[in-house]
Amino acid sequence: QIQTGIPKLKRGDMWTCIMECRFNIQGEKKESCCDNYAKLKSKLTPHQHSILIDIGRTFPTYNYYSRPLGPGQLAMYNVLKAYSLLDPELGYCQGLPFLVGVLLLHLDTEERVFSALQYLLYDLDMRTMFTPDMIGLQICLYQLTRLLLETEPDLYQHFDSLSFDPSLYGTPWFLTLFGASFPIGFVSRVLDLVMLEGKTAVIKIGACLLSHFAKKLLEFNNVEDLINFIKSDIPECEGSVLESVIARAAQMDVDDKLQVFRVEYTVIQEELSINGGASNTDLLNQNKMLKKENDDLKAYINMLEEKLDTQRKQIAQLEQKSKSPSSDESPDKMAEILQCREEALMAAKRKLSLG
């Protein structure tokens, strides 16, 4: 049902069901959350000014949020203020109003929205995208780029040749769940998958969007045109196209790959930290270089194994002819050559395993 679409009037109940089934957010925990929300909402937050500025530009064309400090904006402010006090390390971050705005449209009380926000940020580990260091966002951008390299290598190479960093288009996708530029209906469908998969859903949807429009994206030869197309033209495409992207993303099984990419990011980041850190482009270039070294080493190992196999056959033939004194090469000499090459092969394999 999540993959094919949830009826709008049932979406809030479905999201609540997912949260209760997956993390048992019910009973005493639900009552405690409501009590805590009421207390937090009555307090002041140092992020008040920033929240008030941002809620005025969140879904401004949507009636519920169009009136300054109307019911929609006030509810958004209350939830964001309460969360900033609950999680002082994160506090407040631009992008959160879009997430809260969509939740408010489908959940009937501020308390339920506050509970859902905690579920997304804590239980699904999305809060690391919004903390001051934004480490979760950096990892997601790297995973998205690596997934693009595997699914659309030509498009990846095109972006790389233009130095088109994924942060230029991926950051608003992750921080607003596509809410900054896409129709609110599409954002709700994104949140359907996010409720089940967390950040993984955003990565998959982003990769599917780029893949669907790959042919058009390859036509642009400068960064400005790429940005304009991704931020303006793609969000304005037909609803059936966006729905097909959601359906394709829902069927993708890339959990194992994304975990590998996450480990890659951590390892490469540690290696480059002594140089003051690195951008996602630097990390991808480093990864490509290491991959090429491994591929070259594997080719060398294959060549050695072929030579060893050939020489083993030659030794067997020489042993059969060993009675002939006119033989140019003795089995002992061939065995010595074979041993040297076997040692070279073992050394190459040790280097590959260490790499």
Side-chain angles (χ1 to χ4, degrees):
Q1 186 67 52
I2 291 285
Q3 294 179 9
T4 57
I6 303 172
K8 183 178 179 179
L9 295 178
K10 296 292 184 181
R11 179 167 275 124
D13 292 336
M14 181 66 77
W15 289 351
T16 300
C17 181
I18 292 172
M19 292 187 288
E20 291 180 350
C21 291
R22 294 194 65 185
F23 290 95
N24 195 30
I25 302 177
Q26 53 189 341
E28 294 181 2
K29 185 174 181 180
K30 185 184 292 185
E31 293 177 6
S32 174
C33 179
C34 292
D35 292 340
N36 195 26
Y37 176 71
K39 294 176 182 178
L40 292 170
K41 189 173 72 167
S42 65
K43 298 179 180 180
L44 297 176
T45 173
H47 303 283
Q48 175 175 315
H49 182 67
S50 297
I51 295 173
L52 287 172
I53 290 176
D54 289 341
I55 62 176
R57 48 196 185 194
T58 301
F59 300 127
T61 60
Y62 201 80
N63 289 337
Y64 187 53
Y65 299 117
S66 62
R67 198 173 112 200
L69 293 181
Q73 289 192 14
L74 183 59
M76 197 185 299
Y77 170 77
N78 287 337
V79 174
L80 291 168
K81 178 179 72 169
Y83 187 84
S84 71
L85 295 168
L86 175 73
D87 185 1
E89 181 189 2
L90 188 159
Y92 171 74
C93 178
Q94 284 186 330
L96 286 176
F98 288 94
L99 176 54
V100 173
V102 177
L103 293 173
L104 281 167
L105 295 178
H106 299 285
L107 299 170
D108 56 4
T109 66
E110 292 178 17
E111 288 80 5
R112 291 180 70 189
V113 172
F114 185 66
S115 179
L117 186 61
Q118 290 183 69
Y119 164 77
L120 291 167
L121 296 182
Y122 276 101
D123 296 320
L124 296 186
D125 191 34
M126 295 183 68
R127 68 183 295 276
T128 55
M129 295 197 302
F130 300 95
T131 49
D133 61 5
M134 291 187 164
I135 183 62
L137 174 62
Q138 297 304 317
I139 293 173
C140 286
L141 290 173
Y142 179 80
Q143 290 172 310
L144 173 61
T145 310
R146 284 287 283 112
L147 190 58
L148 182 65
L149 174 60
E150 294 209 355
T151 58
E152 296 289 342
D154 290 343
L155 183 58
Y156 167 82
Q157 295 294 342
H158 184 60
F159 283 180
D160 187 49
S161 67
L162 297 174
S163 298
F164 189 41
D165 194 271
S167 63
L168 295 175
Y169 58 89
T171 297
W173 287 357
F174 284 103
L175 294 186
T176 71
L177 298 188
F178 299 91
S181 54
F182 282 78
I184 201 165
F186 177 74
V187 182
S188 297
R189 292 291 286 121
V190 170
L191 201 50
D192 287 343
L193 292 186
V194 170
M195 283 287 180
L196 285 173
E197 303 179 6
K199 293 174 288 189
T200 297
V202 187
I203 296 170
K204 295 196 301 183
I205 292 169
C208 289
L209 275 173
L210 294 173
S211 178
H212 184 88
F213 292 97
K215 185 176 180 180
K216 184 65 178 179
L217 290 167
L218 287 168
E219 296 177 4
F220 298 111
N221 293 314
N222 63 75
V223 170
E224 184 179 357
D225 288 342
L226 281 171
I227 292 176
N228 289 336
F229 182 78
I230 291 175
K231 289 188 175 181
S232 301
D233 292 37
I234 291 181
E236 293 177 0
C237 69
E238 294 183 3
S240 59
V241 173
L242 295 178
E243 184 57 38
S244 70
V245 167
I246 293 288
R248 180 180 173 187
Q251 295 173 2
M252 290 181 71
D253 183 10
V254 294
D255 288 351
D256 291 341
K257 285 184 179 181
L258 294 184
Q259 181 58 32
V260 170
F261 300 159
R262 183 186 183 92
V263 173
E264 279 181 9
Y265 176 90
T266 302
V267 172
I268 297 174
Q269 188 67 56
E270 288 175 354
E271 292 178 352
L272 298 178
S273 61
I274 58 174
N275 296 321
S279 67
N280 280 286
T281 301
D282 294 331
L283 295 175
L284 264 296
N285 290 336
Q286 177 77 359
N287 182 69
K288 287 193 294 184
M289 182 181 69
L290 292 173
K291 186 176 184 300
K292 184 178 184 305
E293 290 179 358
N294 278 346
D295 290 342
D296 291 343
L297 199 52
K298 287 178 182 178
Y300 176 62
I301 288 173
N302 290 335
M303 180 269 292
L304 286 176
E305 288 179 336
E306 290 176 1
K307 287 187 175 182
L308 284 172
D309 185 59
T310 299
Q311 289 187 332
R312 288 191 186 100
K313 292 178 181 178
Q314 290 176 347
I315 287 176
Q317 293 174 355
L318 286 172
E319 287 176 343
Q320 292 177 358
K321 299 179 181 179
S322 59
K323 295 181 181 181
S324 173
S326 60
S327 176
D328 293 334
E329 296 187 77
S330 68
D332 291 341
K333 184 176 180 181
M334 289 295 294
E336 183 179 347
I337 295 173
L338 180 63
Q339 182 178 357
C340 290
R341 288 190 170 160
E342 284 179 337
E343 290 175 356
L345 177 61
M346 292 302 295
K349 286 185 175 181
R350 281 197 298 273
K351 182 178 179 182
L352 180 62
S353 65
L354 290 173

